[in-house]
Amino acid sequence: MTLGSESVDVLTIGAGGGAYPAAFRLARAGLSVVMVDPKGVMSGNCLYEGCVPSKAIRETAEILETQRRFAHFGLTGSLQVDYGQVVAHKDAIQSRRYAQHAQELANTPNLQLIQGTARFLDPHTVAIDTETGQRNFHCAHIIIASGADVFVPPIPGAELCLTSHDLYKPEPVLRTLPKRMLIIGGGYIGLETASFFAAFGTQITLLQKGPQLLTGMDREMVEMLLPLLSPNIHFILNAEVERVEATATGRRLFYQQAGTTQQLEADVVLMAVGRRPAIPAGTADIGIEIGKRGIVVGPSLQTRYPHIYAAGDVNGQVPLFHAAVRQSLVAAHNILGGDQPLDYADFQSVPTTIFTLPGAAYIGLSASQAAQQGLAVRTGSYDFQEDSRAQILEAMGGGIRLFFAKESLRLVGGWVVGIDAGSLIGEIGLALSKGLTAYDLAQFADQHPMSAEGIGKAARSLF
Ligand code: ADP
């Protein structure tokens, strides 16, 4: 059944980080706004199966690791966790945040969330397939913010593998701690999950197709991180997974390495080989360009139609929640500007953190990327070995590297490996996005004894 056509100023396809910041801003500005999402709740995959639930588990694992470092203080007991309780904690946070978002939605006039799946009928008409039928909306502006989905490669037995969805969604599939876990994929999701479960006591074997882990990230940073990870993670590189089979008690995995087939057994196998943009049906039919990474947009987030925007993971530029939020606001500002761009997303200056234990984080250019671009840099260094907070926490591995343009000493990038990496990169990122120099950073009296004082010390290492 198709209900009659309705009209709206702005429709967002999806209700995640690429959608709702714009939706709220535009609704507050007096425009009528509809968000569409099959989940029927706001916050997208970040809260459903991504950042928030995975970090709820990560922080529990980190507390456990920290306690173990101080076991010599006479902490008694086995220092083990009941994984069912960890999951219950994660689920409780998700419920709490869904309730919070429902309240925010209820308090905002001009804005409604429709549970359904959106598809394009023409550049101004979107059909929403709901449980009770199809609703067609004529839209003055559209923001495609449909995010990305877990990619499962066509390996025989792939359906026997868990994905991050099965680990982190509300009431997840995995509720008891496996003794042995195989992880396919050496990207950030594979490594983070390996780290958390290794902390809980699971024996991890991680298989990576190529010769390197965290492909595409700065080698110097990765080389500093890897030795700091749990010794309970066993890496097998250059391993091409052939198939997965069920056994009486778990899973058997076959992989090719150097021309021979080998096999491994475990209780569970996690497939973590990446995510793919979720392109709404009809997008290509109306002539919107879809590239290798996702929907093609420039810094204004507009597609070839000035009134149709693509924000967040679906454009594949920087598939991270905070990037989606910023992009969503850029789209909102440009809609308020009558689809004449007046705000632009900076795809470079976005902090990225690998939330392993310990973590690593980066922003902007690395030294090798700068060299590739012919940009001469000077490097400011600080090692956590000499850091008071790192010493207090007995977590002295890693350090901070800041890259400054050689002549102007303007910050062009940086990374952190070790304690507080995910927090420190925020301060470094702000300095980068505001065009600060080594002089500015060197002059700022960051707090002692916090790890952020290392940022100033790294800058001062140049003088
Ligand atoms: P981002 O952070 O880029 O916004 P998310 O993955 O967090 O991405 O959120 C995207 C949301 O879009 C998800 O909740 C997903 O269910 C929803 N979605 C995906 N495809 C469609 C579609 N065709 N119609 C409506 N919503 C969609």
Side-chain angles (χ1 to χ4, degrees):
M1 180 180 69
T2 305
L3 305 170
S5 196
E6 302 166 73
S7 276
V8 70
D9 292 326
V10 183
L11 182 139
T12 71
I13 302 183
Y20 76 80
F24 277 83
R25 179 153 297 190
L26 295 167
R28 280 204 300 270
L31 277 67
S32 59
V33 183
V34 164
M35 290 191 284
V36 187
D37 201 300
K39 294 186 179 72
V41 284
M42 217 171 92
S43 222
N45 291 321
C46 167
L47 180 53
Y48 191 74
E49 61 184 41
C51 349
V52 171
S54 64
K55 263 82 257 173
I57 291 182
R58 184 215 190 246
E59 299 313 324
T60 318
E62 180 159 44
I63 290 166
L64 191 63
E65 293 263 273
T66 308
Q67 282 190 324
R68 288 202 184 111
R69 284 204 300 278
F70 292 97
H72 57 283
F73 281 11
L75 294 171
T76 50
S78 62
L79 292 182
Q80 293 299 325
V81 290
D82 172 348
Y83 188 66
Q85 291 301 321
V86 176
V87 169
H89 170 65
K90 172 198 82 63
D91 282 352
I93 291 162
Q94 285 169 296
S95 305
R96 180 183 184 149
R97 294 196 64 74
Y98 279 126
Q100 185 178 318
H101 291 321
Q103 198 57 50
E104 288 160 4
L105 203 53
N107 292 343
T108 308
N110 306 325
L111 175 61
Q112 55 166 319
L113 170 59
I114 297 176
Q115 182 161 21
T117 302
R119 59 190 158 86
F120 280 102
L121 297 182
D122 66 49
H124 274 289
T125 317
V126 170
I128 307 175
D129 298 309
T130 73
E131 272 190 359
T132 49
Q134 178 183 331
R135 288 171 73 177
N136 291 350
F137 274 86
H138 182 269
C139 322
H141 313 268
I142 297 161
I143 302 176
I144 309 172
S146 40
D149 291 323
V150 174
F151 172 64
V152 178
I155 295 170
E159 71 286 354
L160 299 169
C161 302
L162 300 174
T163 66
S164 55
H165 173 84
D166 302 314
L167 261 51
Y168 300 133
K169 71 175 180 172
E171 303 195 358
V173 174
L174 188 71
R175 312 182 69 83
T176 54
L177 195 65
K179 278 201 172 60
R180 293 172 306 168
M181 180 188 280
L182 299 174
I183 298 181
I184 307 174
Y188 77 96
I189 294 179
L191 274 167
E192 288 180 3
T193 311
S195 245
F196 313 158
F197 281 88
F200 294 140
T202 301
Q203 276 175 37
I204 308 280
T205 303
L206 185 147
L207 300 106
Q208 165 74 331
K209 199 170 171 181
Q212 287 177 338
L213 298 161
L214 298 172
T215 320
M217 296 186 191
D218 183 60
R219 285 299 98 197
E220 214 190 321
M221 179 190 81
V222 174
E223 296 310 323
M224 190 180 274
L225 174 69
L226 293 178
L228 303 178
L229 300 181
S230 166
N232 289 341
I233 309 173
H234 175 55
F235 294 108
I236 304 181
L237 301 178
N238 299 308
E240 175 108 34
V241 175
E242 283 182 340
R243 66 180 198 279
V244 177
E245 290 177 359
T247 65
T249 54
R251 302 286 182 258
R252 185 177 296 124
L253 177 150
F254 295 83
Y255 67 98
Q256 276 262 352
Q257 197 187 38
T260 57
T261 298
Q262 319 218 28
Q263 48 176 290
L264 290 166
E265 282 191 26
D267 306 309
V268 293
V269 179
L270 177 77
M271 181 72 80
V273 298
R275 298 178 69 83
R276 290 287 178 275
I279 311 287
T283 304
D285 301 332
I286 62 165
I288 288 181
E289 195 184 344
I290 301 164
K292 248 171 79 182
R293 301 210 285 199
I295 293 180
V296 176
V297 289
S300 70
L301 278 325
Q302 285 162 303
T303 62
R304 59 169 283 215
Y305 295 102
H307 72 284
I308 304 182
Y309 298 76
D313 291 7
V314 76
N315 66 37
Q317 292 285 344
V318 192
L320 299 168
F321 179 80
H322 46 289
V325 169
R326 168 68 192 132
Q327 291 178 19
S328 187
L329 293 174
V330 169
H333 299 158
N334 291 337
I335 287 171
L336 290 172
D339 299 323
Q340 294 297 319
L342 49 80
D343 196 5
Y344 304 91
D346 174 356
F347 299 129
Q348 262 288 317
S349 302
V350 182
T352 300
T353 299
I354 304 122
F355 285 96
T356 41
L357 298 167
Y362 62 94
I363 189 161
L365 296 178
S366 65
S368 62
Q369 283 172 325
Q372 277 164 20
Q373 297 184 13
L375 179 71
V377 295
R378 291 183 62 194
T379 301
S381 294
Y382 178 73
D383 288 333
F384 287 134
Q385 195 68 32
E386 57 181 278
D387 184 77
S388 43
R389 178 170 153 81
Q391 290 165 4
I392 291 164
L393 289 172
E394 294 196 6
M396 281 117 67
I400 300 174
R401 297 289 179 273
L402 301 179
F403 309 111
F404 300 97
K406 193 170 171 215
E407 300 301 330
S408 63
L409 292 193
R410 189 179 158 140
L411 185 66
V412 296
W415 51 254
V416 182
V417 171
I419 52 158
D420 305 331
S423 301
L424 294 175
I425 206 64
E427 186 171 320
I428 297 169
L430 188 62
L432 178 76
S433 71
K434 295 299 162 205
L436 298 191
T437 64
Y439 306 108
D440 300 311
L441 292 176
Q443 283 164 10
F444 181 61
D446 229 317
Q447 282 194 97
H448 178 72
M450 304 307 287
S451 48
E453 67 184 325
I455 297 171
K457 287 187 176 177
R460 290 200 288 279
S461 74
L462 292 188
F463 305 118

